[in-house]
Amino acid sequence: MQITEKSVLGTSERRERIIQQLRSNGSVQVNELAGHYQVSTVTIRNDLAFLEKQGVAVRAYGGALLCESGQPVAERTIADKSVLNTPVKQRIGAMAASLVQPGCRLILDSGTTTLEVARHLRDHQEIVVMTNGMNVANALLEAEGVELLMTGGAFASQVTLLLRRPGGSLLAELSLRSAVSRGGWHRSGARRQHPS
């Protein structure tokens, strides 16, 4: 790989340039940015997620659009997310569930991809699943071979998850080897990314 000025930009400088491109063009594409700045598509997706949280951009399939209001963008609801990239989420769910063996203890975050993981875990035996997601818990309610644990806490209805468990942490009481969250599959310190 040839080293150029673009390949040695720091994160903040790259993000500033992405903002400039958004303001000039109104939108950007992940693959084009990755090629232009000679970084991975995961890096660009992280940049766009950061810009979305800052209220600069709204992520869209394959890229992002300029956010005209300048106000932070509210997180999409579970209902909104459930119709996005459904076949990909189903494949991720099947693949992640295939890695789960009897005796496994894992955490599933709230979300639509983790919901697909939960759906594929229904027939598993002798596993423990902890979640903060009501949608995930509902998918596993009648799964006889799954011991279901909820983190507890205040309910955030828009994203159907429980926040801040009062009186201690159930997480601290368990020995878990795997977790599936919005950031990917985590196993014994390893992390595998999945597409947003």
Side-chain angles (χ1 to χ4, degrees):
M1 179 169 125
Q2 181 181 0
I3 296 178
T4 66
E5 175 193 358
K6 291 175 189 164
S7 66
V8 293
L9 287 177
T11 301
S12 59
E13 191 172 349
R14 184 181 59 249
R15 288 176 178 172
E16 281 299 319
R17 290 188 182 190
I18 291 171
I19 292 169
Q20 290 171 0
Q21 287 180 271
L22 277 165
R23 289 185 177 140
S24 296
N25 304 327
S27 67
V28 292
Q29 295 296 308
V30 169
N31 289 334
E32 289 175 12
L33 291 173
H36 182 75
Y37 293 108
Q38 299 176 350
V39 295
S40 72
T41 56
V42 172
T43 297
I44 296 298
R45 284 190 195 100
N46 288 337
D47 289 344
L48 296 179
F50 175 83
L51 295 178
E52 185 173 48
K53 285 180 183 174
Q54 299 301 310
V56 175
V58 178
R59 286 188 293 173
Y61 184 76
L65 305 170
L66 179 65
C67 181
E68 296 294 335
S69 69
Q71 299 298 315
V73 179
E75 184 169 1
R76 292 183 184 119
T77 66
I78 289 287
D80 292 340
K81 292 177 184 179
S82 68
V83 297
L84 299 173
N85 303 312
T86 303
V88 173
K89 292 174 186 180
Q90 290 169 340
R91 288 194 304 273
I92 291 169
M95 174 60 85
S98 74
L99 300 172
V100 177
Q101 302 297 317
C104 186
R105 298 173 176 211
L106 66 142
I107 299 172
L108 293 179
D109 195 4
S110 174
T112 54
T113 302
T114 51
L115 174 61
E116 292 301 329
V117 175
R119 288 178 174 157
H120 285 89
L121 290 173
R122 288 178 180 155
D123 294 327
H124 279 62
Q125 297 297 313
E126 299 177 26
I127 64 171
V128 177
V129 175
M130 182 172 26
T131 186
N132 63 342
M134 297 298 291
N135 61 334
V136 172
N138 285 335
L140 294 171
L141 280 177
E142 297 181 19
E144 291 183 17
V146 178
E147 181 180 343
L148 179 62
L149 304 173
M150 297 288 298
T151 58
F155 181 66
S157 62
Q158 183 177 7
V159 289
T160 68
L161 63 87
L162 297 168
L163 303 169
R164 295 182 293 287
R165 180 178 188 256
S169 173
L170 184 57
L171 284 170
E173 299 170 20
L174 294 174
S175 172
L176 299 160
R177 291 185 307 221
S178 303
V180 180
S181 69
R182 298 174 200 188
W185 174 271
H186 311 271
R187 183 181 221 168
S188 300
R191 180 175 180 168
R192 295 187 183 117
Q193 292 287 337
H194 66 76
S196 298

